[in-house]
Amino acid sequence: MTDDLQQEQQPEQHQDPEPGENRSAVTLCPGRVGLLPDCRYLQAGLESLAQARGLSVQLLTRAATDLAGPPAPVSRVICHISGDLAGRLAQVVRLGEYLQTRGDSLPVTLLTREPMPWLYGTLLHLTGRTLSLQAVWTLDARSPLTDIVDLLWGTTPATAHRLKGRESYTLASGLTRRELAVVRAVLAGERIRDMAQRTGLSVSALYAQRHHGLRKLGPGTGIR
């Protein structure tokens, strides 16, 4: 997909979806598109596509509090989640912090290459509200270029799927904030005993949070 994004495309004609069709209506005034890329090639391709169609783009790389308010908050977000586990968790944290600051039902599409059963629950823990996740969709990052163009224009492609999970904050299957922080620190090479000194938490509590976090992430984390 990143190769396709580098190629210049002609603007396409978009029509309103049929009544009852499971996709968003085309935005007549597209507004500003927020991009949260984790690949500079994808970022360059999306920016090029948007600029060719006269769309305004904002990179969501600064602090969430600096991005959510005036003068021009974004009207939708495209977030790319790929790479190793540390990179994926970092992207999820950035998105969760931004959605928490916004506090509304912002349309978001996650470009991913593999299923992440823990994703909904983790975002729910980060945002603290189901409202923030009501308009979050997932789309295969290898989708055709036409689907990506649809996203930029505010239309949800028919191949996208709504992000789903348990809507109970207490029953969410994702990582809690503390579990997420511990797992990310371990991935960065920090030892549990050093973490205990830094945070003031007991070694046993940190080991328990590490265990629960890794269990929720499933096999293949590379952490023993």
Side-chain angles (χ1 to χ4, degrees):
M1 184 185 71
T2 54
D3 293 337
D4 292 340
L5 287 172
Q6 303 299 324
Q7 301 176 3
E8 182 177 358
Q9 301 290 327
Q10 295 298 321
E12 301 180 5
Q13 298 296 321
H14 293 265
Q15 298 180 351
D16 290 338
E18 294 296 328
E21 189 176 358
N22 187 23
R23 58 194 294 167
S24 303
V26 173
T27 305
L28 297 180
C29 182
R32 176 170 293 195
V33 183
L35 298 182
L36 190 55
D38 67 353
C39 167
R40 62 187 178 91
Y41 298 108
L42 180 72
Q43 173 185 327
L46 289 173
E47 288 179 321
S48 177
L49 280 174
Q51 292 170 2
R53 288 156 177 79
L55 299 175
S56 177
V57 170
Q58 181 172 3
L59 292 179
L60 307 181
T61 54
R62 304 199 313 274
T65 52
D66 297 335
L67 294 167
V74 301
S75 60
R76 59 195 175 280
V77 171
I78 300 175
C79 177
H80 185 218
I81 302 178
S82 67
D84 59 16
L85 180 59
R88 281 179 282 151
L89 292 178
Q91 282 291 86
V92 171
V93 169
R94 293 187 193 102
L95 177 62
E97 290 176 346
Y98 181 75
L99 293 178
Q100 181 189 41
T101 304
R102 283 285 300 239
D104 57 2
S105 182
L106 178 71
V108 176
T109 302
L110 309 176
L111 300 178
T112 65
R113 285 179 175 263
E114 58 185 86
M116 291 175 279
W118 48 268
L119 184 54
Y120 182 93
T122 302
L123 285 173
L124 183 56
H125 280 298
L126 289 170
T127 61
R129 57 175 69 89
T130 58
L131 173 65
S132 299
L133 306 181
Q134 288 181 354
V136 178
W137 298 75
T138 62
L139 180 68
D140 193 319
R142 296 157 292 191
S143 296
L145 184 63
T146 52
D147 287 351
I148 308 303
V149 173
D150 280 348
L151 287 180
L152 290 171
W153 276 101
T155 302
T156 303
T159 53
H161 302 279
R162 190 180 296 277
L163 184 66
K164 295 181 179 180
R166 290 183 175 179
E167 296 189 354
S168 168
Y169 181 74
T170 57
L171 297 177
S173 59
L175 282 73
T176 65
R177 284 181 174 272
R178 175 49 58 185
E179 291 166 352
L180 193 56
V182 171
V183 171
R184 293 185 67 199
V186 170
L187 288 170
E190 187 174 6
R191 297 184 305 175
I192 292 294
R193 293 191 179 278
D194 295 335
M195 207 182 307
Q197 292 181 347
R198 174 174 60 83
T199 62
L201 298 173
S202 68
V203 170
S204 59
L206 290 170
Y207 269 116
Q209 291 163 353
R210 173 184 181 273
H211 169 76
H212 292 308
L214 294 177
R215 179 176 55 81
K216 292 174 181 178
L217 288 170
T221 61
I223 302 176
R224 294 185 178 272

